[in-house]
Amino acid sequence: MTLTATTTTPSTATRVRLYTPGPVEIPVRILRALSQVPPHHRTDVFRDTVRRVTEGLKRLHQTQGEIFLLSASGSGAMEAAVVNLLAPGDKALALVAGKFGERWQSLLKAYGVAHEVLAVEWGSSIDPSEVERRLDRDPAITTVYATHSETSTGALHDIQAMARITRARGKRLVVDAITSLGVHPLPQDEWGVDVVVCGSQKGLMVPPGLATVSLAPWAASAIDGPGLPRFYFDLRKARKSAPLGETSFTPPVSLVLALEEAIAMIEEEGLEAVHLRHERLARATRAGAQALGFKTFATHPAHSVTGLVPPDGVEASAVVKRLRDVHAMVVAGGQDHLKGKILRVGHMGRYDLSDIYAILGALEECVATFGRPARGAIEAARAAWESA
Ligand SMILES: *Cc1c(COP(=O)(O)O)cnc(C)c1O
């Protein structure tokens, strides 16, 4: 990356730091796992790895059900959760509170599935009682498509409450947990979530290219129906290969090795400790940024990514650019109509309080440069970290 080409302020940075909402920074241990000579995928050594990774994922998802590994980014797992679960004539409900909720809607549209949309303003979260009303009003709806952590806004959704509603009515709940697995608790079986989809490059700290579908034990028959036209993402095929430690097609072998290392790292720290650390990181980020005059964009903020509205007179895109050019820190701007309005700071994966101090220090430098000097971010962040 060119650090200084577009700025008159010389960069003081010697390396790039990612605070992106995915792909996230890859820890050294995982880079080392990636550098191994990959075994051939039709060998016992790799079959054993696939079995261990699948068992590990079951522990992270807290399910006794089935996990399918797919060669795709997260959206491939989302597509699998549409084409395997729905049949022509079925009706779905898409919950839309941002870019990734819209992806469910686009997928349903692309496959010609009849669907209702429950949309709220970006930055808010869906009210579960509204889901209840929609389901009771339209009994034809069989499946609800939700997002746990909406990465485009930094908002969290109350999946536990939604699952109570869908389970009580015999409806299926499909949850996009792409920025929540390894960040937020989502005990699939205990909460009653039928299907959870995930991708490798966010909370799991692995490069992009590996996606998962997790099917709860009671939802096993969900993929047995006629479904929609499908081939690459046909989970019936995946189900036949899985007990053999095999995938239907050539898997991204190196990413599977990396994922095994990621699971080991999460389990060494402890899943609960990992969740708590992310909560503290998110609290520290919000408190520190607030001390600098930023506002949190989401009403119910997630612990994966923090959406921030800059203080009056400071442009979000100018902050994003200065962070990159001067500090070599990569954050994301807003998407679609939020472009130029917010910045999104990711803290998923192996981040610690010192990482948050670093980005807050850089944000302090930015607001001072743009004429809104403020102080106290570090103290506020530490207090928030300690309070959780
Ligand atoms: C990143 C992401 C996706 C999937 O994006 P891919 O680019 O296909 O990996 C889906 N949902 C959410 C909430 C995400 O953050």
Side-chain angles (χ1 to χ4, degrees):
M1 171 191 286
T2 311
L3 299 181
T4 54
T6 57
T7 177
T8 50
T9 310
S11 172
T12 52
T14 58
R15 63 189 169 90
V16 175
R17 293 170 170 88
L18 295 186
Y19 293 89
T20 36
V24 305
E25 212 158 273
I26 312 295
V28 171
R29 271 180 69 175
I30 293 179
L31 290 174
R32 213 184 291 130
L34 282 165
S35 72
Q36 296 170 80
V37 175
H40 190 271
H41 62 293
R42 307 290 185 210
T43 54
D44 285 340
V45 76
F46 189 67
R47 290 186 189 102
D48 286 344
T49 304
V50 168
R51 286 197 196 94
R52 282 196 306 274
V53 166
T54 307
E55 287 307 310
L57 285 170
K58 284 189 198 174
R59 294 191 297 274
L60 297 193
H61 281 280
Q62 293 168 265
T63 183
Q64 304 288 324
E66 288 167 279
I67 305 268
F68 302 109
L69 294 179
L70 305 174
S71 312
S73 75
S75 304
M78 295 173 76
E79 182 151 343
V82 168
V83 295
N84 286 278
L85 264 66
L86 297 172
D90 282 350
K91 192 167 183 184
L93 174 65
L95 309 183
V96 179
K99 183 98 185 158
F100 293 103
E102 278 183 358
R103 189 156 302 174
W104 283 130
Q105 188 184 350
S106 308
L107 271 162
L108 294 167
K109 193 165 165 238
Y111 280 97
V113 177
H115 62 279
E116 295 282 323
V117 175
L118 169 50
V120 295
E121 210 181 321
W122 287 31
S124 337
S125 300
I126 306 270
D127 177 359
S129 64
E130 191 57 38
V131 176
E132 188 170 23
R133 266 193 290 281
R134 289 294 192 97
L135 290 177
D136 290 342
R137 204 169 69 199
D138 192 346
I141 295 169
T142 61
T143 311
V144 178
Y145 288 90
T147 314
H148 194 191
S149 154
E150 174 51 75
T151 319
S152 63
T153 64
L156 187 73
H157 288 89
D158 189 348
I159 296 301
Q160 187 173 16
M162 289 180 193
R164 232 179 267 129
I165 291 160
T166 50
R167 284 294 275 157
R169 287 162 181 75
K171 309 293 182 184
R172 297 226 182 271
L173 177 62
V174 181
V175 174
D176 167 353
I178 295 173
T179 50
S180 83
L181 190 70
V183 176
H184 279 276
L186 177 59
Q188 183 173 3
D189 292 1
E190 185 192 320
W191 284 5
V193 182
D194 296 79
V195 180
V196 177
V197 300
C198 202
S200 53
Q201 80 274 25
K202 314 264 176 108
L204 293 177
M205 310 173 282
V206 166
L210 192 55
T212 61
V213 178
S214 168
L215 200 57
W218 65 84
S221 63
I223 64 168
D224 292 340
L228 293 167
R230 59 203 191 276
F231 179 76
Y232 195 66
F233 293 133
D234 190 341
L235 296 181
R236 295 167 303 180
K237 265 202 303 258
R239 171 176 276 165
K240 279 199 198 118
S241 328
L244 310 170
E246 296 203 351
T247 49
S248 313
F249 307 102
T250 312
V253 173
S254 295
L255 297 183
V256 177
L257 302 180
L259 182 54
E260 180 172 32
E261 192 66 21
I263 294 168
M265 288 171 70
I266 290 171
E267 295 198 313
E268 282 165 26
E269 187 178 350
L271 190 55
E272 266 179 51
V274 169
H275 293 154
L276 178 61
R277 178 169 52 79
H278 281 89
E279 178 177 352
R280 299 173 99 184
L281 290 169
R283 283 176 186 268
T285 306
R286 294 198 296 267
Q290 223 170 318
L292 299 176
F294 290 82
K295 289 191 182 71
T296 303
F297 180 67
T299 325
H300 301 283
H303 303 157
S304 49
V305 47
T306 299
L308 293 171
V309 182
D312 282 345
V314 176
E315 277 183 29
S317 37
V319 175
V320 173
K321 185 172 183 314
R322 188 169 181 85
L323 285 174
R324 190 190 57 215
D325 292 344
V326 176
H327 301 280
M329 291 183 179
V330 187
V331 303
Q335 293 166 290
D336 296 351
H337 64 275
L338 295 180
K339 202 167 270 172
K341 301 223 165 68
I342 63 167
L343 55 142
R344 293 176 299 141
V345 179
H347 29 70
M348 278 173 278
R350 210 64 176 171
Y351 291 76
D352 59 22
L353 182 57
S354 298
D355 292 315
I356 303 304
Y357 287 165
I359 185 84
L360 290 171
L363 283 173
E364 183 180 308
E365 192 275 344
C366 289
V367 293
T369 301
F370 297 131
R372 293 267 162 204
R375 302 208 160 271
I378 300 297
E379 290 87 327
R382 190 175 56 236
W385 170 274
E386 278 163 9
S387 74

